Amino acid sequence: MALAPTSPHPPEAAPTTATRPSRTMRRPRSPRPAEGNRERAKGRDRWWVAAFLVPFLLLYLGFTLWPLIATVFYSFFDWSGTGPLDHFVGGDNYRRILGDPLFWQAVVNTLLFAVGTTAVKLPLSLLAALVMTRKWLRAKRALRTVFFAPLIIPVAMAGLVFTYLLNPSNGALNSALHGLGLTDGATDVFAHRWSALLALILISVWQVFGQYMIYWMAALQNVPDELYEAADLDGAGEWQKLTRITLPMIRPVAVVIVMLALVNAMHVFGLVVTLTGGGPGTSTYVVSYFIYKQAFGSMPFAYGYASAAALLFSLMAFLLVTSQGLFVRRAQKMRKEYGV
């Protein structure tokens, strides 16, 4: 029996196990964006930011910065608002303004109006905000709408409405007073300086009451509830919470609200135009109405003179606004004493 020939080289052994991938192999990572791509993305973002800012900058330059520069420039000329600027008077307009008794009467009336409206509307709006932030109060949204609704009425329209209501011959006020037997004849609230100023103050308070109530509500929401809870544990009453916790905590915001109220009230114009027209006589002139009358009230227009008055008035308002920094810092120190 013949044997099969044997190969000089033995056959290779078959693999007994499947080939496994190396443990050192890892999944490929996504390539990071190159620095150039990142810079291009930032550049596109800058272009978008600039595109959105350009309309605002144009409006700011056209309606704020340029009128301010032009007012300063015109105040050194005796100019009627038309024609060439060829009559340079230097500081003569400012000297005339400082010696004008009507201007100072307008300044006094403006300050009386600003202080009067602030003294009335801020305490009342704070009281309303305290009530509106109570948890037990119902129909809060409806009440907020009622208080805020007069603010959306244009100032000129509000002035015209109250002109008819306070009309001395057939107004609703005279009819009500006559019906109650309080007066026998017609009562003209705009016939005397103090009654006219009081009417302007009360009507202004009625219109902007809701705005300052919202301010106070925003300030009250920043007072930590933990302070009230600790006061309840100590047996503090509502008056003690108000005077020892609420008012000191909201004092920094209160300073800002007071300054806003004063500055906004100093720019009163529409109510004076529609209600009193500066009368009786010139007893209810305010600075903005004085500027308007000098610039457009009579021929020839004294546009340069009115520009000087506007600049002096703006300087007074600026000094008033910058003074709030001192009061805010003092209020912040008191707030830190509470650890918040």
Side-chain angles (χ1 to χ4, degrees):
M1 181 176 179
L3 299 175
T6 58
S7 173
H9 301 287
E12 295 181 358
T16 58
T17 58
T19 304
R20 296 180 179 179
S22 175
R23 293 183 179 180
T24 59
M25 294 177 61
R26 297 179 180 178
R27 294 180 180 179
R29 296 181 179 179
S30 58
R32 295 182 178 180
E35 293 296 330
N37 296 336
R38 188 177 302 174
E39 292 297 328
R40 284 195 295 271
K42 290 182 178 179
R44 288 194 295 268
D45 291 341
R46 294 192 187 99
W47 279 109
W48 278 111
V49 171
F52 282 107
L53 285 178
V54 164
F56 168 76
L57 291 176
L58 291 177
L59 292 174
Y60 178 78
L61 291 174
F63 293 95
T64 302
L65 189 58
W66 165 245
L68 178 61
I69 297 174
T71 300
V72 176
F73 181 71
Y74 296 150
S75 66
F76 295 105
F77 290 84
D78 184 9
W79 187 47
S80 64
T82 59
L85 288 167
D86 54 1
H87 192 186
F88 180 79
V89 295
D92 185 61
N93 284 329
Y94 294 96
R95 287 190 294 269
R96 290 171 55 202
I97 282 289
L98 294 177
D100 190 343
L102 183 57
F103 172 76
W104 291 111
Q105 182 184 6
V107 170
V108 171
N109 289 336
T110 303
L111 294 177
L112 288 174
F113 177 85
V115 174
T117 53
T118 303
V120 174
K121 68 188 175 187
L122 291 191
L124 291 179
S125 59
L126 175 58
L127 180 61
L130 289 170
V131 175
M132 294 292 294
T133 53
R134 297 305 178 189
K135 297 180 180 179
W136 48 262
L137 183 66
R138 299 182 181 274
K140 293 182 179 179
R141 293 183 179 178
L143 291 175
R144 291 178 186 176
T145 303
V146 170
F147 286 126
F148 198 79
L151 188 64
I152 65 176
I153 301 175
V155 177
M157 184 178 296
L160 290 175
V161 169
F162 278 94
T163 300
Y164 291 112
L165 291 176
L166 302 177
N167 191 289
S169 59
N170 57 359
L173 177 63
N174 278 283
S175 299
L177 293 177
H178 185 71
L180 294 174
L182 298 178
T183 59
D184 294 331
T187 302
D188 189 0
V189 296
F190 301 119
H192 306 281
R193 177 190 181 188
W194 298 112
S195 60
L197 280 175
L198 181 60
L200 289 173
I201 289 172
L202 295 179
I203 294 171
S204 176
V205 169
W206 167 80
Q207 188 173 27
V208 301
F209 180 86
Q211 176 182 354
Y212 290 92
M213 185 191 70
I214 297 298
Y215 291 164
W216 287 123
M217 291 177 64
L220 292 172
Q221 290 175 358
N222 292 326
V223 180
D225 293 334
E226 293 80 4
L227 297 179
Y228 293 120
E229 294 173 359
D232 290 332
L233 295 176
D234 293 337
E238 293 298 327
W239 178 253
Q240 291 175 322
K241 292 179 186 178
L242 177 64
T243 56
R244 303 295 180 86
I245 297 177
T246 304
L247 294 181
M249 290 296 297
I250 67 174
R251 186 172 295 181
V253 182
V255 173
V256 178
I257 294 176
V258 171
M259 292 300 169
L260 283 175
L262 287 173
V263 173
N264 291 336
M266 290 176 67
H267 292 86
V268 59
F269 177 72
L271 286 179
V272 176
V273 173
T274 55
L275 283 172
T276 66
T282 58
S283 58
T284 58
Y285 262 53
V286 292
V287 176
S288 56
Y289 188 72
F290 172 84
I291 295 170
Y292 165 75
K293 293 294 288 185
Q294 296 298 323
F296 309 108
S298 59
M299 296 292 292
F301 299 152
Y303 203 85
Y305 188 73
S307 298
L311 200 60
L312 287 177
F313 178 63
S314 300
L315 181 60
M316 295 177 188
F318 176 76
L319 294 176
L320 179 63
V321 171
T322 54
S323 65
Q324 73 175 347
L326 175 63
F327 298 101
V328 170
R329 286 193 294 269
R330 293 181 61 183
Q332 289 286 7
K333 290 180 181 179
M334 181 173 292
R335 184 181 173 94
K336 290 180 180 180
E337 294 178 359
Y338 286 82
V340 294

